[in-house]
Amino acid sequence: CCFFLLFIMVEAMGFLSVNLHNFLAISQPVKEAEILVVEGWLPDYAIKEAIGEFNSGKYQLVITTGLPLSKGYYLAEYKNFAQLAAATMVKLGFDPNKLVAVPAPEVMKDRTYASAIALREWLEAAKNPVKAINLYTFGPHARRSWLLFKKALAPEITVGVIAVAPQDYEPQQWWRSSEGVRTVIGETIAYIYARLSLGGLPRP
């Protein structure tokens, strides 16, 4: 009996290890999305790939989001991740006329949700009705970001999500590297927290 239970536990852990990253790193884009929303804290290679996504879709605009920089603020030309990501895209050859940076204020918690609320406020102020967006984000952060952006924008705006594959660890063997373990375990805890606190988040 003990051997059987141990076998079940080992199999369950193996199944979880293989599938946890896939669960978190969800990609479910909306074909009719008019705007590609790029989270500004993404690594440069992901921002470069976002340009390819824009060119392959029917998007009219890219919006970068993000909070104030946590390091280098007093030395940097750009004071938040939204502006930094937008400037990076322009440097990579992206048309600045199709690009808007929408920064969010500094907050102590629910940072991703703060970016989603800032986006909603910008869209409302622009008075240009948007039916659907695709959120461009990083690997296992995708499911949590998708959850929080839908909380802020749906049902008025349909929210799709695109997860960029990480390059600093192997997604299907994330447990074999310290970076993979930190990322996946950290995002698992953060996603659970987001689910538990979702009902308490204010919605405009």
Side-chain angles (χ1 to χ4, degrees), residues 28-171:
Q28 193 169 314
V30 178
K31 291 183 179 180
E32 63 271 18
E34 304 140 90
I35 294 177
L36 183 66
V37 177
V38 178
E39 292 200 275
W41 56 268
L42 296 179
D44 286 347
Y45 67 80
I47 292 176
K48 184 176 182 179
E49 291 178 19
I51 296 176
E53 169 61 26
F54 180 90
N55 292 334
S56 66
K58 298 180 180 180
Y59 303 105
Q60 302 171 11
L61 185 71
V62 168
I63 295 179
T64 56
T65 64
L67 278 70
L69 297 177
S70 56
K71 185 176 182 180
Y73 179 90
Y74 300 105
L75 300 175
E77 178 181 356
Y78 307 101
K79 302 303 183 183
N80 55 71
F81 284 104
Q83 293 173 341
L84 181 59
T88 300
M89 293 186 73
V90 172
K91 189 69 175 179
L92 290 169
F94 192 77
D95 184 355
N97 296 315
K98 298 180 180 180
L99 179 63
V100 176
V102 179
E106 182 61 76
V107 293
M108 294 297 293
K109 64 175 185 176
D110 302 322
R111 296 163 67 87
T112 299
Y113 190 63
S115 290
I117 292 298
L119 173 64
R120 180 184 179 90
E121 291 173 351
W122 186 90
L123 291 172
E124 290 176 343
K127 300 183 184 297
N128 185 18
V130 173
K131 295 181 179 179
I133 68 166
N134 277 332
L135 176 64
Y136 201 81
T137 186
F138 179 77
H141 186 73
R143 188 169 286 274
R144 176 160 63 102
S145 282
W146 192 37
L147 175 74
L148 295 172
F149 273 78
K150 285 194 296 183
K151 169 72 173 180
L153 300 175
E156 295 86 355
I157 299 174
T158 302
V159 181
V161 64
I162 300 170
V164 184
Q167 293 186 0
D168 46 3
Y169 66 90
E170 171 53 51

